[in-house]
Amino acid sequence: MKAVSSLSSLLACASLAAKGALAASYDDIPTVEVYGQHFFYTNNGSQFLMKGVAYQQNYNPNGTSSQDNSTYTDPLADADACRRDIPYMKQIFTNVIRVYAIDPTKNHDDCMAQLASADIYVVADLSEPKTSIQSDDPSWNVELYQRYTSVIDALQKYKNVIGFFAGNENVSSGNQTSAAAFVKAAVRDSKGYISSQKYRTSLGVGYATADVPTRDDLAAYFACEPTDAGNQTAIDFWGYNVYSWCGDSSYSASSYGERVEFFRDYPVPVFFAEYGCIEGIDGGATHRPFTEVGVLFGNMTDVFSGGIVYEWFMEENDYGLVSIDGDSVSPYPDFTSLRNQLSKVDPTLTQRSAYTTSNSAPSCPTDSTWEAKATPLPPSPNSDMCNCVVQNLECNIKSDDEDKYADVFDFICGAGKDFCDGIAHNATTGDYGALGGCNPKAQLAWVANKYYEGNGKSSSACDFSGLATIQSASTASGCSSFIAAVGTDGTGTVASPTGGASGTASSSKSKGAAPGMAAPAFFNFGKPLFVAYVTIALVSAVGMVAL
């Protein structure tokens, strides 16, 4: 059953103003900034509480990279859809939307202007389905850096952009905590990029977590700052995807009270990045009563900054608030419930002038079940460095067929651990090679060259069934410092880039070239498996040397 809106006349008014007036709206809207544990409007210092909705069609945000979910619809590039939906969003008091993936090559001016004219802000995820930090095989590399910085470039000019999520539910189980190190490196480099480009200082970078057993350690890890360099690696805000309040639950039964107490001393804003349970609802998924709204915008506002309902569009998962048919919007009953609940809230707001920050960064997790070291973090991907190093090698990879890379990686790293130190990315031990963020072809070139050198520079040691070739090493202008920083073993520290990834990043996700496969999986997970693999590799070494 659908509750059909009687306010269809709003659609006729959705154009709001001429394009010239709309174009100025995202320049004129006051920015929202983080100060201590809260968000504040910069024009009057009033506290900003999120009354939001997730706005993304044909996308399943799950913290993983999936070949089955490789396409998406950019919600900020469809001005007509924004014109259709915004009047209905305002009926449920929307002041922020969350988008999970945008296409940075498209123009977003029209939709962003419409949103700004309606006083609606945006929090955007930086990844996209094919380019994200994978939970079970994580890395932080040139391709990801290029994607993240391109989204920042595309959206930074709009003053109604509050900030970005560097990851979403990348850690969903206890054996995935090492992935947190790569997401935190992404936070660091995204913040560093915003600063280096002199973009708006109010742009924040955060993380959105699932409600998982590791949530407390996750919260501590992303907010801790183990160095004395300020808050360069700490998140600016924390998003919580929470579905524990189902139907007519309560403050205690939903564990909302426990979450409030846990985050009471947290140093940055916390909000529900997703909420709206559909389990056990009388009448079915489209009849959510949203009774949690009164609590979220009631006694929780001294700690939590509101929340974002999941979600606008009705998809196969049944979480949609509305049904879309062309230009027609038909709200479901829970749309009306949400509107009614929000219409009754009257939260007490804090003024920035009357607020003093007092919460300090938490300690980094130290329990034995937490796998990600707080320091060092994975190095910043630097495509200029990657290109310089490859030019300076004597054995290079000429084939772009990444399906063939995995066997060569496995053989070389099995034949000698030192050959692959330069591409290591082990968050558990904190061992990272300088080339751990390069694309697979560059990484394979490095290890192939090390193997070539280790075997007396024999021509047969630089072939690998035609994948490799001997070249004249060269040092291009500006490359000397990179090569010196990398070092002969590839474990040196290279300066962070100050711009976007200028090199060509691999876009492939083949079996031999997935981001986490750049260094063979066995190489990251401890000595016993490595020793076993070396035994196998040595047995077959005679046959492989001639490849």
Side-chain angles (χ1 to χ4, degrees), residues 206-438:
Y207 176 72
T209 182
D211 192 20
V212 293
T214 57
R215 61 178 182 256
D216 292 354
D217 279 342
L218 277 166
Y221 183 79
F222 277 101
C224 75
E225 187 60 63
T227 69
D228 58 358
N231 67 340
Q232 294 180 358
T233 70
I235 52 167
D236 296 313
F237 49 77
W238 182 254
Y240 213 170
N241 301 340
V242 178
Y243 294 89
S244 61
W245 187 302
C246 300
D248 294 318
S249 188
S250 67
Y251 187 65
S252 58
S254 65
S255 298
Y256 275 25
E258 293 178 15
R259 292 171 176 83
V260 168
E261 293 310 311
F262 176 82
F263 285 105
R264 189 170 296 282
D265 297 324
Y266 206 60
V268 299
V270 180
F271 58 93
F272 286 174
E274 292 175 9
Y275 76 96
C277 173
I278 62 172
E279 301 298 326
I281 306 297
D282 291 340
T286 59
H287 288 71
R288 289 176 287 183
F290 285 111
T291 50
E292 65 265 48
V293 165
V295 174
L296 181 58
F297 295 96
N299 62 334
M300 293 178 64
T301 56
D302 58 337
V303 176
F304 276 78
S305 296
I308 298 171
V309 171
Y310 190 79
E311 63 175 326
W312 184 254
F313 297 98
M314 178 56 73
E315 306 278 23
E316 292 182 3
N317 59 18
D318 290 334
Y319 279 89
L321 291 170
V322 300
S323 173
I324 305 293
D325 184 8
D327 293 331
S328 175
V329 179
S330 300
Y332 288 104
D334 54 358
F335 176 98
T336 303
S337 297
L338 180 62
R339 181 180 65 198
N340 292 342
Q341 292 288 351
L342 285 168
S343 70
K344 295 185 290 186
V345 302
D346 185 20
T348 300
L349 300 178
T350 301
Q351 285 296 124
R352 191 184 191 280
S353 59
Y355 172 69
T356 302
T357 60
S358 58
N359 296 346
S360 57
S363 299
C364 300
T366 57
D367 59 87
S368 59
T369 61
W370 182 260
E371 296 178 344
K373 287 180 68 71
T375 185
L377 292 174
S380 303
N382 193 315
S383 62
D384 291 333
M385 177 273 292
C386 298
N387 293 335
C388 285
V389 168
V390 170
Q391 292 178 46
N392 194 53
L393 302 176
E394 294 181 89
C395 179
N396 196 5
I397 297 299
K398 63 181 180 180
S399 172
D400 293 319
D401 186 356
E402 295 179 354
D403 288 325
K404 298 179 180 179
Y405 289 0
D407 288 342
V408 182
F409 271 126
D410 287 350
F411 166 70
I412 296 175
C413 295
K417 176 184 178 297
D418 293 346
F419 296 154
C420 294
D421 285 347
I423 65 169
H425 52 280
N426 190 329
T428 302
T429 63
D431 292 325
Y432 299 105
L435 287 86
C438 296

Side-chain angles (χ1 to χ4, degrees), residues 109-132:
D109 287 357
D110 197 336
C111 188
M112 290 301 296
Q114 292 180 56
L115 290 165
S117 293
D119 297 318
I120 296 176
Y121 292 79
V122 174
V123 177
D125 288 53
L126 292 171
S127 62
E128 57 95 13
K130 290 176 63 178
T131 315
S132 61

Side-chain angles (χ1 to χ4, degrees), residues 24-167:
S25 61
Y26 55 71
D27 291 326
D28 296 336
I29 191 171
T31 57
V32 170
E33 66 176 352
V34 170
Y35 181 65
Q37 204 174 17
H38 301 302
F39 293 104
F40 294 96
Y41 289 101
T42 55
N43 63 332
N44 60 16
S46 180
Q47 185 182 358
F48 178 84
L49 295 178
M50 293 188 175
K51 298 176 182 176
V53 63
Y55 188 65
Q56 186 96 38
Q57 195 167 18
N58 302 323
Y59 185 67
N60 180 28
N62 59 5
T64 63
S65 180
S66 170
Q67 290 296 300
D68 296 329
N69 186 27
S70 60
T71 61
Y72 61 92
T73 301
D74 183 344
L76 302 182
D78 190 340
D80 290 336
C82 289
R83 192 167 292 110
R84 175 197 66 204
D85 295 335
I86 288 174
Y88 287 90
M89 289 183 187
K90 293 310 293 182
Q91 292 183 43
I92 53 173
F93 305 92
T94 301
N95 65 4
V96 65
I97 61 172
R98 178 183 179 184
V99 296
Y100 293 92
I102 66 113
D103 182 347
T105 66
K106 292 184 177 179
N107 187 290
H108 305 100
D109 287 357
D110 197 336
C111 188
M112 290 301 296
Q114 292 180 56
L115 290 165
S117 293
D119 297 318
I120 296 176
Y121 292 79
V122 174
V123 177
D125 288 53
L126 292 171
S127 62
E128 57 95 13
K130 290 176 63 178
T131 315
S132 61
I133 298 171
Q134 299 183 52
S135 302
D136 294 317
D137 201 6
S139 67
W140 175 235
N141 55 34
V142 167
E143 181 185 14
L144 288 163
Y145 181 80
Q146 186 176 44
R147 162 68 192 184
Y148 279 40
T149 56
S150 66
V151 174
I152 293 170
D153 287 338
L155 296 183
Q156 56 80 26
K157 72 175 183 178
Y158 305 115
K159 290 186 176 180
N160 54 329
V161 172
I162 295 174
F164 310 96
F165 281 127

